[in-house]
């Protein structure tokens, strides 16, 4: 029995032969590029596309990459752990991917670890640009590779103190001041800041801390109402009596707020009757907690999309990758059931 021969791809040259035109004419027709604007030229391009479809022609990705000088892909740099897919990071990444897909680009996830395999992607220029969304332990090596290869790049909700890279940031300072304004209008004056033990190296920690200290009138070294502890340890602050007992707590993120709500309920402290709680990062199920969580929020999808637009502009318009453009997006307050008037006693 004769072995079945594998199906061979229809080539652009076969389409050209069938259509009776040159391969370059076929290429322009299939890519939507026409030298002439005449009706005859348009009709010929339509005929070529019909012949290509009938013959089962599929674009050759490698050939297109060679012709355009682009891979039509970008690398999303991330730590080896899975922080990319937690909380609002998921929404940011989704917006980033969606915007790129709209422009016919796709994303390659690039874990950055000690094995240094990511270096080969840079050296071989397998992608057209890079985005750094998380804090990277190897950031010095990564940024050195970006500069060495003059690669388009963008920082997403991340500074890494790289002032020569374009970046999209969140105005955490103003967000914190808006959170405190909400609580003070409810009558609260004893307000604590629960930073917890998460993400203490991220720029948002310093910006929220600065906004808190200035809005509350605290001196730089006054940490009496700022807590970097777990939720069990924090109860000695929240459960104390006297005039220094806090009546409201602002949490760095949902990672502190959700366990805190549970711990307060275990100790019989009612929210918001006895204690108001407000958090940053409006994750998907914040409104379904008991009570629903008041949050400071930002449009995470837009953060991803704007970041993609900055990167694509560098790639497609040959904008200098070292432009120091910074886009800062505002936060807004979502009032729910976890904040209320200051307790009367």
């Amino acid at each position: 029995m004769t072995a079945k021969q594998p199906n061979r791809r229809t080539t652009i040259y076969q389409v050209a032969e069938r259509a009776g035109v040159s391969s370059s004419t076929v290429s322009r027709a299939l890519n939507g590029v026409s030298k002439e604007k005449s009706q005859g030229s348009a009709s010929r391009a339509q005929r070529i596309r019909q012949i290509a479809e009938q013959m089962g022609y599929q674009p050759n990705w490698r050939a297109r990459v060679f012709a355009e000088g682009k891979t039509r892909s970008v690398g999303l740099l991330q730590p080896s752990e899975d922080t990319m897919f937690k909380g609002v990071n998921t929404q940011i990444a989704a917006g980033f991917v969606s915007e790129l897909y709209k422009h016919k680009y796709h994303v390659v996830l690039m874990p950055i670890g000690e094995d240094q395999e990511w270096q080969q992607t840079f050296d071989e220029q397998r992608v057209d640009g890079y985005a750094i969304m998380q804090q990277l332990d190897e950031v010095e090596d990564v940024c050195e590779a970006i500069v060495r290869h003059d690669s388009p790049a963008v920082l997403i909700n991340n500074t890494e103190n790289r002032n020569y890279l374009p970046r999209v940031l969140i105005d955490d300072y103003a967000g914190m001041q808006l959170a405190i304004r909400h609580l003070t209008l409810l009558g609260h004056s004893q307000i604590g800041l629960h930073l917890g033990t998460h993400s203490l190296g991220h720029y948002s920690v310093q910006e929220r801390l600065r906004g808190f200290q200035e809005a509350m009138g605290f001196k730089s070294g006054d940490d009496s109402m700022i807590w970097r502890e777990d939720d069990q340890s924090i109860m000695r602050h929240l459960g104390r009596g006297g005039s220094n007992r806090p009546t409201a707590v602002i949490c760095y993120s949902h990672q502190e707020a959700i366990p805190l709500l549970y711990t307060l309920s275990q100790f019989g402290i009612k929210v918001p009757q006895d204690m108001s709680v407000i958090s940053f990062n409006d994750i998907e199920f914040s409104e379904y907690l008991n009570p629903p969580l008041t949050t400071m929020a930002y449009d995470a999808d837009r953060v991803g999309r704007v970041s993609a637009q900055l990167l694509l502009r560098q790639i497609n318009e040959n904008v200098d990758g070292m432009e120091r453009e910074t886009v800062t997006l505002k936060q807004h307050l979502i009032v729910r059931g976890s904040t209320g008037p200051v307790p009367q006693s």
Side-chain angles (χ1 to χ4, degrees), residues 96 130-132 152-156 165-168 307-308 310-311 314:
F96 184 72
Y130 301 90
I132 303 176
V154 65
L155 294 173
I156 307 177
L165 292 179
R167 53 194 178 181
V168 179
S307 300
L310 282 180
L311 185 57
Q314 294 177 60

Side-chain angles (χ1 to χ4, degrees), residues 16-77:
E17 184 178 0
R18 175 78 64 86
V21 297
S22 67
S23 59
S24 59
T25 300
V26 173
S27 177
R28 288 194 299 271
L30 296 180
N31 288 313
V33 179
S34 178
K35 272 188 173 181
E36 302 171 344
K37 301 299 182 181
S38 67
Q39 184 175 354
S41 177
S43 299
R44 182 176 59 183
Q46 177 64 23
R47 175 174 166 269
I48 291 172
R49 286 191 286 269
Q50 290 174 347
I51 291 174
E53 183 178 356
Q54 292 167 3
M55 295 180 67
Y57 172 78
Q58 295 292 327
N60 188 305
W61 181 81
R62 290 183 179 86
R64 176 170 291 183
V65 167
F66 180 79
E68 294 184 359
K70 297 176 182 176
T71 66
R72 303 201 72 82
S73 61
V74 301
L76 185 55
L77 308 176

Side-chain angles (χ1 to χ4, degrees), residues 169-176 203 207 280 328-331:
L169 303 178
I170 312 301
D171 194 342
D172 287 287
Y173 171 83
M176 175 59 75
Y203 81 94
E207 287 300 288
F280 283 74
T328 304
L329 303 180
K330 296 292 185 181
Q331 302 211 40

Side-chain angles (χ1 to χ4, degrees), residues 177 180 210-220 222:
Q177 297 218 325
I180 292 176
R210 183 170 70 92
F212 178 81
Q213 289 175 322
E214 290 190 15
M216 296 298 295
F218 291 165
K219 295 181 180 179
S220 179
D222 185 358

Side-chain angles (χ1 to χ4, degrees), residues 41 86 90:
S41 177
K86 292 182 178 178
T90 304

Side-chain angles (χ1 to χ4, degrees), residues 16 122 127 154 168 183 192 225 253 273 283 300 303 328 337:
F122 276 90
V127 297
V154 65
V168 179
L183 292 173
M225 297 293 281
S253 76
Q273 294 89 337
I283 60 173
V303 171
T328 304

Side-chain angles (χ1 to χ4, degrees), residues 92-93 95-96 99 156 299-309:
I92 294 175
F96 184 72
E99 186 67 21
I156 307 177
D299 190 339
D301 181 82
R302 186 178 175 219
V303 171
R305 291 183 181 277
V306 171
S307 300
Q309 291 163 8

